[in-house]
Amino acid sequence: MRKPLVAGNWKMNGSIDSVKALIEGIKAGVGEVKNTSVAVCAPAIFIPQVQAGLQGSAVAWGGQDLSVHASGAYTGETAASMLLDFGCKYVIVGHSERRTYHGETDELVADKLEAAREAGLVPIFCIGETLDEREQGITEQVVARQISAVINKYGVAALSDSVIAYEPVWAIGTGRTASPEQAQEVHAFIRGLVAKESIEVAGRILILYGGSMKPDNAAELMAKPDIDGGLIGGASLKASDFLAICTAGG
Ligand code: PGA
């Protein structure tokens, strides 16, 4: 039985004050969440504050990106070891906004996933098709290509310690959620792809849905057999909405 995970992706939002309030709000309500793991992925600069606020609580935390390099002359980058130093459990890799606005390729994303995993972080590996790709009917080819970039270079073992987040790009921040059926179809396809390499990893790996998940659609999405939680953007910035999604997971 896979224990669901709901992870907040705060993206580039927040201030010292708003982060403080959000953390306090989440901590105050997380006791109601029974059978779901909860995490927040904060902008790097807020991670020490998040660590100080969440240490000892049921909420884990993580980064939103990392460097493929261990250390050195890479201005502006954050190494896996730095995230670990500040208690991170998770790190998002390959978010569509990184792929689109920062030119991250499938290969770079695979390298980031491996750098995270090797260091002992749990990568939240984001994949998903654009609207144009969905309309062309190539959703499955796109997610297969994104996953193969990891499996071909690092083997299915690289996924055994990872979480996958299926995030259709057309659903991110648009208010246009994939229907539970649409999402389940792709999640089942993704699990099937992993199963071709390892039945064991496929049975165990968490596949989260992301893209306009909210309190009013979370339960229906997470009730699907291959949807093991969510990666939540906009709705993770309000403690009550985020907690309502977490409790919808169980
Ligand atoms: P959204 O973002 O929930 O605001 O659609 C999800 C994500 O980008 O991870």
Side-chain angles (χ1 to χ4, degrees), residues 119-136:
L121 292 163
V122 177
I124 301 178
F125 169 41
C126 299
I127 57 175
E129 81 289 1
T130 62
L131 182 59
D132 188 46
E133 289 163 339
R134 174 159 285 262
E135 282 170 353
Q136 283 178 54

Side-chain angles (χ1 to χ4, degrees), residues 92-175:
I92 297 172
V93 297
H95 191 279
S96 67
E97 287 150 16
R98 302 278 333 158
R99 294 177 188 261
T100 305
Y101 306 136
H102 301 274
E104 293 198 4
T105 60
D106 291 337
E107 196 185 3
L108 178 73
V109 173
D111 292 344
K112 287 189 172 191
L113 181 144
E114 182 62 10
R117 203 186 68 84
E118 225 182 3
L121 292 163
V122 177
I124 301 178
F125 169 41
C126 299
I127 57 175
E129 81 289 1
T130 62
L131 182 59
D132 188 46
E133 289 163 339
R134 174 159 285 262
E135 282 170 353
Q136 283 178 54
I138 58 169
T139 297
E140 293 187 351
Q141 280 107 298
V142 171
V143 299
R145 189 199 73 220
Q146 292 168 327
I147 291 184
S148 300
V150 171
I151 294 178
N152 294 344
K153 195 158 178 191
Y154 296 109
V156 71
L159 292 179
S160 67
D161 310 315
S162 304
V163 170
I164 293 175
Y166 168 60
E167 300 205 304
V169 179
W170 48 271
I172 295 177
T174 57

Side-chain angles (χ1 to χ4, degrees), residues 9-249:
N9 172 12
W10 293 352
K11 309 195 179 186
M12 196 176 72
N13 292 293
S15 63
I16 293 175
D17 287 348
S18 73
V19 166
K20 183 169 189 284
L22 185 50
I23 289 173
E24 291 311 318
I26 294 171
K27 275 204 300 191
V30 74
E32 302 299 309
V33 182
K34 297 296 176 221
N35 187 35
T36 297
S37 306
V38 179
V40 294
C41 294
I45 199 163
F46 291 121
I47 290 174
Q49 188 187 347
V50 168
Q51 177 185 33
L54 292 179
Q55 202 133 46
S57 78
V59 184
W61 58 93
Q64 299 176 0
D65 181 35
L66 83 166
S67 172
V68 286
H69 303 289
S71 66
Y74 302 102
T75 303
E77 296 271 87
T78 305
S81 62
M82 298 172 183
L83 295 172
L84 277 170
D85 238 0
F86 285 90
C88 289
K89 176 170 183 185
Y90 298 98
V91 63
I92 297 172
V93 297
H95 191 279
S96 67
E97 287 150 16
R98 302 278 333 158
R99 294 177 188 261
T100 305
Y101 306 136
H102 301 274
E104 293 198 4
T105 60
D106 291 337
E107 196 185 3
L108 178 73
V109 173
D111 292 344
K112 287 189 172 191
L113 181 144
E114 182 62 10
R117 203 186 68 84
E118 225 182 3
L121 292 163
V122 177
I124 301 178
F125 169 41
C126 299
I127 57 175
E129 81 289 1
T130 62
L131 182 59
D132 188 46
E133 289 163 339
R134 174 159 285 262
E135 282 170 353
Q136 283 178 54
I138 58 169
T139 297
E140 293 187 351
Q141 280 107 298
V142 171
V143 299
R145 189 199 73 220
Q146 292 168 327
I147 291 184
S148 300
V150 171
I151 294 178
N152 294 344
K153 195 158 178 191
Y154 296 109
V156 71
L159 292 179
S160 67
D161 310 315
S162 304
V163 170
I164 293 175
Y166 168 60
E167 300 205 304
V169 179
W170 48 271
I172 295 177
T174 57
R176 192 177 158 189
T177 322
S179 69
E181 293 69 31
Q182 276 175 322
Q184 166 58 26
E185 197 182 355
V186 184
H187 281 234
F189 174 75
I190 293 167
R191 203 177 299 285
L193 276 181
V194 178
K196 281 194 202 153
E197 306 292 326
S198 165
I199 306 264
E200 197 260 320
V201 176
R204 194 152 47 86
I205 195 165
L206 296 181
I207 308 178
L208 314 184
Y209 168 80
S212 299
M213 199 190 257
K214 299 186 188 71
D216 64 4
N217 59 29
E220 228 192 331
L221 283 156
M222 288 192 266
K224 292 292 180 191
D226 291 296
I227 303 182
D228 307 315
L231 182 58
I232 320 301
S236 74
L237 296 171
K238 202 172 151 200
S240 56
D241 284 356
F242 183 59
L243 288 165
I245 297 171
C246 295
T247 44

